[in-house]
Amino acid sequence: MKVVVIGGTGLIGSKVVAGLGAHGHEAVAAAPNTGVNTLTGEGLAQVLQGASVVVDVSNSPSFEDQAVMDFFHTSTTNLLEAETEAGVAHHVALSVVGTERLQGSGYFRAKQAQEDLIKASGNPYSIVHATQFFEFAKGLADGVTEGDTVHLPDARIQPIVSDDVAAAVARTAVGQPVGGVVEVAGPEAFQLEEFIRMGLSAQNDPRKIVTDPKATYWGAELEENTLLPGPGAHIAGTKFADWLAQEK
């Protein structure tokens, strides 16, 4: 089948395209640098011709509250309308475990708005909720660093490698629309402090890490299990320590 991957040149999108292609599907990477812009609509009608599935793994270039809301609202609206015109049979979007519990964050309010648009569209859909990626440990730390100290909330996280996220998205894309959310997570839960400490240590990053009861996660307050998947989640196999070892 023809699958158009919006954001198909990024970290997850490129892996989804490669995985689908390896299984014999026609996977098309769609992004501004391939002539497809979901904000302006440029190239959308053309790339969706003959497509059975659209996978949206795109992300906002800015995480400022209004900018990210504008991105997901405009991009998703344009994409869903173009899919209806083209007769696309399945819309798959990548989102984040705990999005509905993280509404104190402008980014997650925008992700929730994206999901709400998909659910209200009438288009057959599946939403994949993934936990935080192994690759983003440093980025998470950077966002909550003051001086040389990383301030983290007291919460647990069950991170996953991007390869396993891409495999879950590709698997969902070639299946039947679920009309709801499927969750995917890594095999181990850590305290946030432990996850970040392991990630920074592997990069010889000397920053001090502390658990701070006032710290937030992208602006949202966390309870202990806010970032953890539910009991029905698909659990991927790659362990964080094994991934760190092979990245060295």
Side-chain angles (χ1 to χ4, degrees), residues 3 6 26-27 37 46 65 69 73 80 119 135 165-166 168 185 187 192 200 216:
V3 182
I6 306 297
E26 179 190 354
N37 190 320
Q46 293 86 346
D65 285 4
M69 181 63 79
H73 186 274
L80 291 167
K119 292 172 183 176
E135 288 89 344
V165 176
L192 255 177
L200 295 187
T216 61

Side-chain angles (χ1 to χ4, degrees), residues 139-157:
L140 275 176
D142 291 348
V144 290
T145 295
E146 297 176 11
D148 63 352
T149 303
V150 182
H151 295 259
L152 294 168
D154 186 12
R156 298 168 74 213
I157 193 167

Side-chain angles (χ1 to χ4, degrees), residues 1 25 31 35 63 83 90 101 105 112 116 120 136-138 141 149 153 160 163 177 191 200 202 243:
M1 65 176 73
H25 300 286
F63 282 16
E83 288 173 29
H90 190 186
R101 301 187 292 270
S105 161
Q112 187 64 57
D116 291 344
F136 292 167
K138 181 181 183 299
T149 303
I160 183 171
D163 288 349
Q191 289 299 124
L200 295 187
W243 178 80

Side-chain angles (χ1 to χ4, degrees), residues 59-238:
N59 209 352
S60 173
S62 168
F63 282 16
E64 187 274 325
D65 285 4
Q66 191 58 51
V68 73
M69 181 63 79
D70 290 345
F71 174 86
F72 281 117
H73 186 274
T74 302
S75 174
T76 303
T77 298
N78 288 342
L79 190 53
L80 291 167
E81 289 177 353
E83 288 173 29
T84 300
E85 287 289 320
V88 173
H90 190 186
H91 178 96
V92 179
L94 178 62
S95 193
V96 186
V97 164
T99 289
E100 70 284 0
R101 301 187 292 270
L102 292 163
Q103 294 301 290
S105 161
Y107 179 81
F108 289 103
R109 287 195 297 273
K111 289 299 288 182
Q112 187 64 57
Q114 178 193 26
E115 293 187 28
D116 291 344
L117 285 167
I118 293 166
K119 292 172 183 176
S121 68
N123 297 25
Y125 73 93
S126 304
I127 296 171
V128 178
H129 272 191
T131 51
Q132 188 59 262
F133 304 166
F134 292 172
E135 288 89 344
F136 292 167
K138 181 181 183 299
L140 275 176
D142 291 348
V144 290
T145 295
E146 297 176 11
D148 63 352
T149 303
V150 182
H151 295 259
L152 294 168
D154 186 12
R156 298 168 74 213
I157 193 167
Q158 195 165 329
I160 183 171
V161 72
S162 62
D163 288 349
D164 290 342
V165 176
V169 171
R171 185 170 59 246
T172 303
V174 299
Q176 292 298 311
V178 300
V181 173
V182 294
E183 290 189 322
V184 59
E188 304 164 297
F190 303 94
Q191 289 299 124
L192 255 177
E193 181 180 345
E194 182 185 9
F195 170 57
I196 299 301
R197 189 182 306 281
M198 290 173 68
L200 295 187
S201 176
Q203 298 182 43
N204 298 312
D205 189 318
R207 278 178 284 181
K208 180 182 177 183
I209 300 169
V210 298
T211 296
D212 181 348
K214 296 181 181 178
T216 61
Y217 183 84
W218 302 115
E221 294 182 1
L222 296 185
E223 296 181 3
E224 183 182 15
N225 294 334
T226 300
L227 303 178
L228 297 184
H234 172 81
I235 303 302
T238 308

